[in-house]
Amino acid sequence: MIQFHDFGIDVQTYAERGKENDFPLLKQCPHCRAKRPLHRHGYYERNALTPHGDYRIWIVRYRCRECLKTVSVLPSFLLPYFQYTLSAIWQVVKEQLGLTEGTNQAPFLPTKDGIIFYVRRFCRNLSSLHSFFARRWRIIGPIVKKEKERSSWWIRTLEEHGLYSVIRDMWEDGFRHPFANQMGS
């Protein structure tokens, strides 16, 4: 299981601190709900790609002493199973949809095929975004057939509600995230 945590630092600082980051203490198991602190169970490395650099970072793992299941704490600047940071993905999706001007100066941007992949995934998940927002905040998205208009509206709405916190809430409610394969509960 993965839990998000906002470390309040950028990816470069997180990478520099390595295993010395201020990792949270998990006081309750998200699997079995046992109310005792989880045991730190080691780390694993993964990539974090930004438009201006690539980093190898440590992800902390915990293990419940009751059910023996593990929990990984992912920094909020990352998405599960994606190497590019959330801000890098968000930047290229907005550029592809014409919502911001692309600089194309950054050395570590996704390829054109990668950008199209992210845009398609986002567009494929618009209905699930609609469901999540309707349940959580009673916000109903626009009913327009043009995908670009719907996508633009949802991008603005996600930013207004705080992209990182919305993604964390979606993940905790079983909706995964807007770039996941088959988002939904």
Side-chain angles (χ1 to χ4, degrees):
M1 174 178 276
I2 296 170
Q3 284 193 345
F4 287 103
H5 180 71
D6 183 1
F7 286 84
I9 55 178
D10 63 9
V11 65
Q12 182 177 356
T13 305
Y14 183 94
E16 289 168 358
R17 290 182 182 174
K19 292 180 182 178
E20 301 303 317
N21 275 296
D22 189 16
F23 296 108
L25 174 65
L26 301 184
K27 296 180 180 180
Q28 180 177 353
C29 177
H31 297 285
C32 71
R33 301 289 180 210
K35 293 188 179 189
R36 66 186 273 200
L38 275 70
H39 170 71
R40 191 172 298 177
H41 187 59
Y43 303 87
Y44 65 90
E45 277 188 292
R46 66 164 283 180
N47 294 321
L49 305 176
T50 70
H52 300 287
D54 61 330
Y55 304 91
R56 287 293 285 172
I57 63 171
W58 291 101
I59 304 298
V60 68
R61 294 182 72 197
Y62 295 89
R63 187 172 185 193
C64 176
R65 294 171 195 226
E66 300 295 322
C67 69
L68 304 179
K69 292 185 179 178
T70 61
V71 179
S72 297
V73 176
L74 200 63
S76 59
F77 54 76
L78 291 175
L79 292 172
Y81 318 113
F82 285 80
Q83 291 191 52
Y84 280 97
T85 60
L86 175 56
S87 62
I89 294 169
W90 198 247
Q91 172 187 334
V92 297
V93 167
K94 286 176 65 172
E95 289 171 6
Q96 183 69 25
L97 292 170
L99 300 175
T100 60
E101 284 204 27
T103 61
N104 295 326
Q105 300 291 326
F108 292 102
L109 286 175
T111 64
K112 187 71 169 169
D113 287 343
I115 294 168
I116 291 168
F117 169 83
Y118 294 131
V119 171
R120 284 185 181 153
R121 277 280 181 92
F122 183 75
C123 291
R124 198 178 310 151
N125 285 319
L126 293 178
S127 296
S128 293
L129 275 173
H130 181 95
S131 297
F132 175 76
F133 271 78
R135 281 190 210 172
R136 178 57 80 92
W137 292 292
R138 301 203 185 285
I139 294 174
I140 308 268
I143 303 173
V144 294
K145 294 192 190 271
K146 293 184 179 178
E147 202 169 68
K148 185 175 178 181
E149 286 180 39
R150 288 179 64 214
S151 298
S152 298
W153 189 89
W154 279 111
I155 285 171
R156 284 190 306 275
T157 302
L158 283 163
E159 288 177 341
E160 288 169 5
H161 282 80
L163 178 62
Y164 294 99
S165 61
V166 169
I167 286 178
R168 182 196 62 232
D169 293 347
M170 292 172 77
W171 187 264
E172 290 173 359
D173 286 357
F175 279 86
R176 296 196 182 174
H177 59 78
F179 300 99
N181 191 21
Q182 299 184 6
M183 183 179 99
S185 57

